[in-house]
Amino acid sequence: MEDYQIVDLYWARSEYAIRETDQKYGRMLNGISYSLLASREDAEECVNDTYLTAWQRMPEDRPAFLGAYLSKIIRCLSVDRFRASHRQKRGGMGQVLEELTECIPGGESPGEAYENRELSRVINDFLEGLEEEKRRMFVRRYFYSDSIADVAERMKVSQAKVKTTLYRIRGDLKRRLEEERICL
Amino acid sequence: MRAKDQQRATDLLFDAIGQIEDRFVAEAATPYVRAGKGLRLRRSLILALTLSLVLVSSLGLLIAQQVTDKEDHAVEMETGDILNDEATGTVGSLSDRLSALRAETASLRVPREELDLFSGKAQVIWKFSDESGYRVKQVSRSEQTELTRMMTRDPGRSLSTTESADPGELEGIWIALGDGTVISPCLRQAPGNTAYGTLFSYEPELEPSVAFADTLCGIIS
């Protein structure tokens, strides 16, 4: 079933909306959550919470890319759960966060006022300027929290190349944030 | 920067990445096709070139049609004239004709997960409603061009809004151009009927012409 058809089901408050969503995106959503939480039970709960959130937000929302819309919801829910449990596991989200510390711009101390929306704008502009291959690597690693091995397999390159490319992208992002005077 | 502040900053950055535009999220969810050596064209450029080619071809054919006779090439069907009743002038639908080739095309069946719409090679894909797999026939560029030309030149018979084609055993038929673009001979050629990276369900708008069915069945059998 196409995305627009599934969204129509939500808008019509049809009982089949969740079923069709699960059939099309359940596996992907489970994968995203598991990458962050490293727990099957928690991932399943986040998937169910995602469906509930989508049901509550639609109608009102009418996403063009349903997969992306749901991915953002489950990522947010999974991150909240991760932080709530104070887990600091190696691998999964913990390792991704460690890598992102390299992107924190230098300069002013934290506590400076910032606009979350401005930060998102800069990141979107940054991604727009990346070559497709690099952008995909970045999004797979830092949005979807794929492992280096999974990114390499998906992009059909070596793990060494993924690591090198991501390292350079992080450096570029840091410089971009500094140029934009983004304080975190 | 203190560790606590660094963690806070990292969390902010991680959260901001979670709010990137949907198109970037959707792009990264689709399979990545690495361009061949010496040919690094962006996928969007390939799509634009393909659609431009279809448009130019259709315009050229419209002009040529005004000064030349219509002559559709009917490829001789190895299945004979079972569905071509010349005496009564009736011709079986595309669904009927594909159904007649079921045994012959059984070896072309593949499960959905093996479908590759970004292989760089054009394919005809069809599915019967009582089967879980898809039948896939890779076609040459000239065959694909011929099929899309015929779809544009003579799309077939429009199905009225009150009439629905008897789908028979055929659940759907698609032509994948190899770059992710997917169209169907049972739908009018329009941007809204062109999918990307997916085989879509549809309500048929057209019954393809006899000539198209002849050519298609000749290619896949």
Side-chain angles (χ1 to χ4, degrees):
Chain A
M1 191 175 273
E2 295 303 311
D3 281 359
Y4 76 90
Q5 292 173 309
I6 299 177
V7 173
D8 284 344
L9 289 176
Y10 280 97
W11 276 66
R13 311 313 278 169
S14 166
E15 61 189 77
Y16 295 108
I18 304 297
R19 188 184 77 177
E20 293 296 331
T21 303
D22 188 58
Q23 198 167 356
K24 189 169 185 180
Y25 292 114
R27 209 173 178 186
M28 179 191 77
L29 296 175
N30 208 296
I32 294 172
S33 188
Y34 185 78
S35 294
L36 291 164
L37 299 173
S39 164
R40 294 249 175 257
E41 293 77 20
D42 288 347
E44 284 178 13
E45 285 186 26
C46 283
V47 170
N48 291 331
D49 289 344
T50 299
Y51 296 153
L52 177 61
T53 303
W55 181 263
Q56 290 169 340
R57 289 187 185 176
M58 290 188 275
E60 294 304 328
D61 290 351
R62 186 178 276 276
F65 299 109
L66 183 59
Y69 178 81
L70 297 170
S71 296
K72 285 184 170 181
I73 294 175
I74 198 166
R75 186 183 187 273
C76 188
L77 291 173
S78 301
V79 168
D80 288 345
R81 183 176 283 250
F82 176 87
R83 288 171 180 158
S85 66
H86 303 290
R87 289 182 193 153
Q88 296 296 331
K89 286 183 183 177
R90 236 1 231 187
M93 187 171 157
Q95 195 168 3
V96 169
L97 290 175
E98 280 185 31
E99 290 175 17
L100 284 178
T101 58
E102 298 175 17
C103 299
I104 299 173
E108 303 297 332
S109 62
E112 293 278 346
Y114 75 96
E115 288 283 342
N116 205 358
R117 191 172 297 178
E118 183 66 11
L119 178 57
S120 294
R121 180 194 67 78
V122 172
I123 293 174
N124 279 315
D125 285 348
F126 175 74
L127 291 175
E128 180 79 48
L130 287 180
E131 294 171 9
E132 182 186 345
E133 183 183 50
K134 292 180 179 177
R135 181 170 56 240
R136 282 172 173 264
M137 280 192 197
F138 183 91
V139 174
R140 289 309 312 188
R141 180 64 177 154
Y142 300 117
F143 180 91
Y144 287 98
S145 296
D146 282 357
S147 65
I148 297 293
D150 286 345
V151 175
E153 183 180 345
R154 180 178 280 267
M155 302 302 298
K156 298 180 176 56
V157 296
S158 67
Q159 292 190 33
K161 178 165 182 183
V162 172
K163 290 179 185 175
T164 304
T165 303
L166 289 174
Y167 174 78
R168 289 175 183 157
I169 294 174
R170 291 196 299 271
D172 291 341
L173 177 58
K174 179 178 178 178
R175 279 186 288 279
R176 180 63 175 273
L177 293 175
E178 288 171 346
E179 287 170 8
E180 297 277 352
R181 298 178 182 273
I182 298 292
C183 303
L184 298 177
Chain B
M1 185 183 284
R2 294 179 301 172
K4 185 179 175 183
D5 293 329
Q6 189 176 59
Q7 183 176 350
R8 175 181 161 278
T10 304
D11 286 347
L12 288 171
L13 185 55
F14 190 74
D15 289 344
I17 292 173
Q19 298 304 315
I20 59 175
E21 292 181 19
D22 286 0
R23 61 192 172 103
F24 296 139
V25 177
E27 177 191 57
T30 59
Y32 180 59
V33 177
R34 179 165 297 281
K37 289 182 182 178
L39 187 66
R40 298 204 168 267
L41 289 178
R42 294 175 64 88
R43 200 180 301 150
S44 58
L45 180 58
I46 295 174
L47 176 62
L49 286 173
T50 303
L51 291 175
S52 298
L53 186 64
V54 171
L55 182 62
V56 169
S57 299
S58 62
L59 286 173
L61 287 167
L62 278 173
I63 294 172
Q65 202 171 353
Q66 294 178 3
V67 296
T68 59
D69 295 329
K70 269 191 189 179
E71 196 172 338
D72 291 327
H73 297 283
V75 176
E76 290 189 7
M77 293 190 56
E78 294 181 13
T79 54
D81 298 327
I82 295 174
L83 296 172
N84 284 325
D85 188 342
E86 294 184 359
T88 61
T90 62
V91 178
S93 66
L94 177 61
S95 173
D96 293 337
R97 297 178 73 170
L98 288 173
S99 296
L101 295 174
R102 276 186 85 150
E104 198 171 330
T105 59
S107 61
L108 301 176
R109 281 175 62 184
V110 298
R112 184 171 186 130
E113 50 270 22
E114 288 186 20
L115 293 176
D116 183 1
L117 303 178
F118 296 87
S119 65
K121 301 191 190 304
Q123 303 167 91
V124 176
I125 303 171
W126 67 107
K127 183 181 183 297
F128 295 106
S129 53
D130 59 348
E131 291 180 350
S132 59
Y134 292 74
R135 292 170 191 241
V136 180
K137 175 69 176 179
Q138 191 170 304
V139 300
S140 66
R141 276 296 163 203
S142 60
E143 289 172 330
Q144 176 244 301
T145 302
E146 174 69 9
L147 289 172
T148 52
R149 182 187 72 84
M150 296 180 82
M151 286 164 61
T152 305
R153 180 182 172 187
D154 183 8
R157 180 174 64 88
S158 290
L159 299 172
S160 66
T161 54
T162 57
E163 172 193 10
S164 61
D166 177 11
E169 300 174 337
L170 186 68
E171 183 176 310
I173 178 165
W174 305 268
I175 297 177
L177 303 187
D179 60 351
T181 308
V182 179
I183 56 178
S184 172
C186 295
L187 296 174
R188 292 185 183 84
Q189 296 308 294
N193 287 336
T194 303
Y196 187 69
T198 181
L199 294 180
F200 50 90
S201 303
Y202 60 85
E203 285 294 325
E205 298 173 342
L206 303 167
E207 176 56 53
S209 68
V210 171
F212 177 86
D214 286 344
T215 304
L216 179 72
C217 293
I219 290 171
I220 65 175
S221 61

